[in-house]
Amino acid sequence: MIEAMIAELRKRDKDERDFLQIFKDAIQQLRGNAEKLIKQDLIAQQPYNSAPIINHKDKELTFDSIDNGKLIFRDKQGESYYLDEKELPLSLQTRGTLASFHYLDKMGDREILVAFREAGALARDKRISLPQAYSELFKERIMKQVEQQLDLPEKQLEQPHHHDRLTTVKGAMDTLDALKKNLREQEKAVNESLRRLYDLRKDGRLSDDFFQKQEDRLLHAKKEISRHMTKAIEMENQLSAQLKQQLKETYPDLKTDHLTLTSAFGLSAIAATHPNLKDANDLKEFLQQTQPALFKEITKETQQETLEITEITETSFER
């Protein structure tokens, strides 16, 4: 956004009126970028939808726009709902863009023009061009605002792609958990409907034609639920495989085949936030002191291998 604003400034006379209009145009462009990123994040969390939909308090809501610093969603009847972005599974890139937009959007005309004059003074002091001064001034301020909004330590900001990926994976995991829970509830309801249908059929209270149509409908629904559940499990397995591969790249000696998705994610998060853990032994020592459950999980296969070797040895001696 800053680069686009600077490029536009180069085309015009650099007076305050031009700067004010260019700045406001750039903010609207940033709003559009933020809305696009929000939609992309929400769609990515929905395996079977192509719309930016979330479930909120038993209502299906579709993202609409950003207005006055709030995220607007609408239900199927068109009624508006204002949600806090902290409640949504958004990537760090999206949250950073939103933080930048909120900061700039709150600036009044007076603040914008004061910034214009500050940039002019900075350009004279450093003997740099005015567009370059704008860039330095606003990039520094925006980055400080983003750090405050996201409450992230410095190391995380130095590794945006890694943490952005982990945030996306966590959002996908939460979505798949919710999806599987919903599918299990649907399956329970279908099984109960089938039970009632068979009871009514046994009592002779249903015609053959009606019974057959209802049974076909319910069995088809059950088959669809099973298909969606299989798809959700496949997606979880894909996420797990990706995390395990990345763990092996970081800790080649770490055994990962037996890890659950939750454990693999937990280890990946620790690896991302503790770059001082250089190898698998460092990781195990750290986990033994701070995460005993994860330590037990990663040493499970080693313990099993020891047990199997012991059993084989004892069997050999018995012979």
Side-chain angles (χ1 to χ4, degrees), residues 56-74:
H56 179 73
K57 296 182 179 179
D58 297 326
K59 289 183 180 292
E60 188 175 84
L61 305 179
T62 302
F63 174 69
D64 183 77
S65 59
I66 303 172
D67 186 44
N68 291 325
K70 297 179 180 178
L71 307 189
I72 302 177
F73 286 75
R74 299 191 189 280

Side-chain angles (χ1 to χ4, degrees), residues 7 15 34 52 56 78-80 85 94 96 118 121 136 151 206 239 255 271 281 300 304 318-319:
D15 60 24
H56 179 73
E79 186 175 347
S80 299
E85 63 197 56
T94 303
E118 288 176 358
E136 290 186 12
D151 194 26
L206 301 176
L239 289 174
K255 296 184 181 297
N281 288 331
K300 187 185 296 181
Q304 181 63 29
E318 287 174 2
R319 289 177 181 173

Side-chain angles (χ1 to χ4, degrees), residues 43-55:
I43 291 172
Q45 314 284 330
Q46 299 286 336
Y48 307 111
N49 284 318
S50 58
I53 293 172
I54 63 165
N55 291 313

Side-chain angles (χ1 to χ4, degrees), residues 77-261:
Q77 288 71 45
E79 186 175 347
S80 299
Y81 293 80
Y82 297 88
L83 300 188
D84 188 335
E85 63 197 56
K86 293 179 181 179
E87 300 176 46
L88 304 175
L90 302 177
S91 68
L92 293 186
Q93 179 188 3
T94 303
R95 294 187 187 281
T97 302
L98 278 169
S100 301
F101 167 73
H102 292 325
Y103 171 71
L104 296 173
D105 193 45
K106 289 177 182 177
M107 293 180 69
D109 289 1
R110 184 175 178 180
E111 283 182 88
I112 295 171
L113 294 177
V114 167
F116 174 85
R117 293 159 191 155
E118 288 176 358
L122 182 65
R124 289 190 295 273
D125 290 342
K126 289 192 172 185
R127 295 184 178 180
I128 58 178
S129 67
L130 194 55
Q132 187 178 346
Y134 296 145
S135 179
E136 290 186 12
L137 183 68
F138 281 102
K139 281 185 176 179
E140 180 182 355
R141 291 183 178 181
I142 289 172
M143 182 53 70
K144 286 181 179 179
Q145 181 68 14
V146 170
E147 288 183 34
Q148 292 172 2
Q149 289 291 323
L150 300 182
D151 194 26
L152 293 171
E154 237 175 79
K155 285 294 181 184
Q156 287 179 312
L157 289 174
E158 291 172 3
Q159 302 171 336
H161 299 299
H162 191 64
H163 287 272
D164 201 34
R165 174 180 53 77
L166 285 178
T167 301
T168 301
V169 170
K170 185 60 171 68
M173 287 170 61
D174 292 343
T175 299
L176 289 169
D177 280 343
L179 175 64
K180 290 195 300 180
K181 180 181 178 182
N182 181 264
L183 290 171
R184 283 191 289 268
E185 291 173 352
Q186 289 183 43
E187 184 178 34
K188 183 179 178 181
V190 169
N191 286 337
E192 179 60 23
S193 295
L194 280 169
R195 186 191 65 77
R196 290 199 303 269
L197 183 70
Y198 292 140
D199 285 345
L200 291 171
R201 172 67 168 171
K202 186 178 179 180
D203 294 342
R205 297 164 61 182
L206 301 176
S207 67
D208 291 344
D209 184 58
F210 181 84
F211 169 80
Q212 194 61 56
K213 286 181 179 179
Q214 293 302 310
E215 184 186 41
D216 289 346
R217 179 180 65 82
L218 291 169
L219 290 177
H220 177 72
K222 192 168 182 178
K223 184 178 179 180
E224 284 297 294
I225 291 169
S226 178
R227 183 175 68 83
H228 289 316
M229 182 65 80
T230 299
K231 180 67 174 176
I233 293 171
E234 287 176 355
M235 293 179 71
E236 284 186 331
N237 290 339
Q238 290 172 8
L239 289 174
S240 182
Q242 291 171 9
L243 291 174
K244 289 176 183 179
Q245 180 181 352
Q246 287 150 4
L247 281 171
K248 290 294 285 185
E249 291 173 359
T250 306
Y251 308 114
D253 296 334
L254 183 67
K255 296 184 181 297
T256 60
D257 289 345
H258 66 292
L259 295 177
T260 64
L261 173 57

